[in-house]
Amino acid sequence: MMMTEEETTSCDVTMTAVQEDSHERIMSRQDQEEKLTITNWYSMCVALQKQEQELRLSEGSSRPPGQAQSFLAQQRQSTQARSRRGMGLSPRLQPR
């Protein structure tokens, strides 16, 4: 059974519409998956930051007095210690 040219054209148009609809659904699903992935990644990062902050706070309360609490404070302490050693003065004699 042979199809007429009109039936063939109609079939082609229908197939094209189905393919376009399928493509749109695939793109929509990919967009949704991407949004979910980004949302989950963000949530994981926030949870990790919160956990790190809580850990730092709990460690901060158990630190001995005078111990540096930040990178900058540690750098200042090491610089001050080097300058004291370089001047030949004991740490107790250094001006504050």
Side-chain angles (χ1 to χ4, degrees):
M1 173 161 134
M2 295 291 292
M3 291 176 39
T4 66
E5 188 174 323
E6 185 177 302
E7 290 173 332
T8 304
T9 304
S10 174
C11 185
D12 289 343
V13 169
T14 303
M15 288 295 291
T16 302
V18 167
Q19 288 173 344
E20 287 176 2
D21 185 49
S22 176
H23 179 71
E24 287 176 13
R25 282 186 287 174
I26 290 170
M27 294 303 292
S28 175
R29 178 161 290 173
Q30 286 177 340
D31 286 343
Q32 289 174 344
E33 288 176 1
E34 185 176 328
K35 288 176 185 177
L36 283 172
T37 302
I38 291 169
T39 300
N40 287 335
W41 184 259
Y42 175 80
S43 297
M44 287 172 47
C45 289
V46 168
L48 182 61
Q49 286 176 349
K50 183 179 179 183
Q51 191 176 37
E52 288 290 322
Q53 184 180 21
E54 290 171 353
L55 180 63
R56 280 190 215 121
L57 288 174
S58 68
E59 285 178 351
S61 61
S62 64
R63 283 187 180 149
Q67 185 176 358
Q69 294 184 357
S70 69
F71 174 78
L72 184 56
Q74 290 174 356
Q75 295 304 308
R76 286 180 182 146
Q77 282 185 343
S78 65
T79 303
Q80 290 171 353
R82 279 194 306 263
S83 67
R84 288 182 194 130
R85 283 191 304 251
M87 296 173 69
L89 299 174
S90 71
R92 288 179 283 162
L93 298 176
Q94 286 291 324
R96 291 183 185 225

